[in-house]
Amino acid sequence: MTITPPALSVFESLESEVRSYCRSWPAVFDRAQGARLTDEDGHSYLDFFAGAGSLNYGHNNPVLKRALIDYIERDGITHGLDMATTAKRAFLETFENVVLRPRDLPYKVMFPGPTGTNAVESALKLARKVKGRESVVSFTNAFHGMSLGSLAVTGNAFKRAGAGIPLVHGTPMPFDNYFDGQVPDFLWFERLLEDQGSGLNKPAAVIVETVQGEGGINVARAEWLRALQDLCHRQDMLLIVDDIQMGCGRTGGFFSFEEAGIVPDIVTLSKSISGYGLPMSLCLFKGELDIWEPGEHNGTFRGNNPAFVTAAATLDAYWADGQMEKQTLARGQQVEQTLLAICGEDATAQFRGRGLVWGLEFTDPARASAVCARAFELGLLLETSGPQSEVVKLLPPLTITPEELDEGLRTLARSVRETA
């Protein structure tokens, strides 16, 4: 397939220079279904990006689409602030019965706004309110969002620089394996906490991703996460897990921290929680932390009722019987075998990942972008991650068929060979 880039005049002349993904994929997309998108010229693309993890169940999933259409056609509430609605009730009951109770998770549910950074901001705000302290610890190569509070606990220098003001009250610490196993876990962190001369303000909380998606697909070991939870408990700090990209089944279990056997104090969810790509986010926290005053944290679009409808339908369709996790882990093994073969042929490549999130890193950082560009020419959507965009990021829909996954992996392997 040969793809001719279209004339993007109106996008180039009218839309801000801040746009990014469209620069990697110079096509005008028109339709999408499942794991495929089609541009206005009829070219088909296999999607290994899935809306940056917002489309875990594929584009225009027919089960979710039917629930949404039925709700709209009966004139169901669209915009509801935080009013009680039948759609919100159905979601909360389903979330409790399908997700929280089977996992014995003691969480209250907060709707902080439509996006992931809204959820992170509310988590940071609540942690500081509960503990009466300002400092929050994050980790090297973390990404938690683009608003100011979230940027303060984000590691990427380019994104932080966009704030235009000092980003304060956040302290970075080394993520798992940051020193290639040469330094014991949390040695520096715990020493600073215990040393009265360290200059580290007592943190209210620690925020962490179990797998750093934007940071380069850096996977935290289960024992590292357990040790982090233990450290937080001993030092009177809250543990916040940002599960915005890695939650909703991306790593296998509904929550990415399940494998480690930990129970964070606060959890943020967004991206695929609505199932359909509709804006929605959640901040979950243990009941004793629910010290909010009515209206103390609000937002106009925190009551996106169509998202509640598709979210409830998603949980019923994919999480009521335990099959989704098994399927994701099986698809993950399929990806791992291909990446093993690719790295066996190319000594400059290495890979890492869990479930259906994987990263292929190259010694030459520019190689990852070249691989993604060639993949686009061959009809496969891939993006890069990592501080130097040195990692090819694989994020296909969880509902992708084995045949589609194999097709995309073959295209990836060809793109690696042809850019060597």
Side-chain angles (χ1 to χ4, degrees):
M1 176 173 62
T2 301
I3 298 169
T4 303
L8 300 176
S9 58
V10 71
F11 304 107
E12 293 170 345
S13 64
L14 190 59
E15 191 179 0
S16 167
E17 292 298 319
V18 78
R19 64 194 189 280
S20 60
Y21 295 121
C22 59
R23 299 179 189 273
S24 301
W25 305 321
V28 179
F29 296 104
D30 182 50
R31 292 174 290 114
Q33 213 292 312
R36 295 187 185 274
L37 294 90
T38 305
D39 70 19
E40 62 181 354
D41 296 322
H43 297 122
S44 178
Y45 302 80
L46 195 56
D47 187 2
F48 269 31
F49 186 60
S54 296
L55 296 164
N56 282 3
Y57 312 96
H59 297 267
N60 287 303
N61 183 294
V63 175
L64 312 184
K65 180 165 64 176
R66 184 72 263 159
L68 180 59
I69 290 172
D70 289 347
Y71 182 76
I72 292 172
E73 286 187 337
R74 73 168 184 83
D75 292 330
I77 297 290
T78 294
H79 180 274
L81 295 165
D82 68 358
M83 294 184 293
T85 65
T86 55
K88 182 194 281 190
R89 180 173 62 199
F91 167 71
L92 285 170
E93 290 174 347
T94 306
F95 190 72
E96 182 176 33
N97 292 331
V98 175
V99 176
L100 297 181
R101 280 182 179 166
R103 294 163 180 79
D104 197 26
L105 293 172
Y107 294 139
K108 299 287 290 291
V109 179
M110 176 182 176
F111 300 99
T115 73
T117 199
N118 295 132
V120 170
E121 294 284 358
S122 66
L124 299 176
K125 189 173 175 180
L126 179 61
R128 288 167 170 142
K129 179 178 174 65
V130 168
K131 291 300 182 183
R133 309 180 205 128
E134 297 176 351
S135 177
V136 172
V137 167
S138 57
F139 291 95
T140 49
N141 291 312
F143 178 77
H144 296 291
M146 298 297 282
S147 52
L148 293 179
S150 300
L151 277 177
V153 290
T154 287
N156 187 282
F158 174 75
K159 293 180 173 65
R160 289 175 62 88
I165 62 171
L167 296 171
V168 298
H169 310 308
T171 303
M173 290 291 166
F175 190 71
D176 190 14
N177 204 39
Y178 187 74
F179 292 112
D180 300 319
Q182 299 302 305
V183 178
D185 295 338
F186 309 115
L187 176 67
W188 174 243
F189 189 5
E190 194 148 20
R191 178 68 180 270
L192 290 179
L193 288 168
E194 294 176 350
D195 184 357
Q196 297 300 307
S198 70
L200 175 65
N201 293 331
K202 180 77 170 182
V206 174
I207 186 167
V208 67
E209 304 153 274
T210 66
V211 180
Q212 295 182 325
E214 299 304 309
I217 317 301
N218 305 311
V219 182
R221 294 166 297 140
E223 56 266 34
W224 187 86
L225 292 168
R226 288 192 290 269
L228 176 60
Q229 177 177 257
D230 179 64
L231 175 61
C232 288
H233 288 171
R234 287 187 285 106
Q235 295 287 348
D236 188 34
M237 302 178 296
L238 297 179
L239 176 60
I240 305 169
V241 167
D242 181 341
D243 235 4
I244 288 166
Q245 188 167 90
M246 297 305 153
C248 302
R250 177 53 58 182
T251 65
F254 186 85
F255 295 104
S256 70
F257 56 80
E258 291 180 47
E259 180 190 44
I262 64 173
V263 181
D265 299 292
I266 303 175
V267 180
T268 59
L269 288 176
S270 186
K271 292 194 181 286
S272 276
I273 187 59
S274 80
Y276 202 72
L278 298 175
M280 178 179 174
S281 75
L282 304 179
C283 185
L284 313 176
F285 40 82
K286 294 178 178 178
E288 64 268 24
L289 304 180
D290 192 10
I291 63 171
W292 292 114
E293 296 290 337
E296 191 174 9
H297 187 91
N298 56 26
T300 303
F301 293 100
R302 66 196 185 281
N304 185 356
N305 280 253
F308 298 157
V309 170
T310 55
T314 298
L315 297 177
D316 279 332
Y318 293 102
W319 291 98
D321 61 4
Q323 293 305 305
M324 188 82 258
E325 180 174 356
K326 295 177 183 177
Q327 176 177 300
T328 297
L329 295 176
R331 301 282 193 275
Q333 291 177 349
Q334 190 177 345
V335 175
E336 186 174 12
Q337 291 305 307
T338 296
L339 295 180
L340 272 169
I342 289 174
C343 293
E345 295 178 5
D346 191 328
T348 70
Q350 59 178 329
F351 72 94
R352 51 190 176 266
R354 278 179 60 196
L356 271 177
V357 53
W358 294 85
L360 182 62
E361 182 177 4
F362 295 93
T363 304
D364 176 8
R367 182 85 179 283
S369 294
V371 168
C372 291
R374 181 56 181 147
F376 173 78
E377 294 172 349
L378 298 171
L380 176 66
L381 301 185
L382 288 168
E383 252 295 348
T384 61
S385 69
Q388 296 179 283
S389 297
E390 72 276 19
V391 178
V392 175
K393 184 179 185 180
L394 282 67
L395 210 68
L398 306 184
T399 52
I400 194 169
T401 67
E403 295 76 21
E404 289 171 327
L405 187 57
D406 184 59
E407 176 189 340
L409 292 171
R410 289 198 309 271
T411 301
L412 170 64
R414 177 180 170 185
S415 300
V416 172
R417 287 194 300 271
E418 293 182 359
T419 56

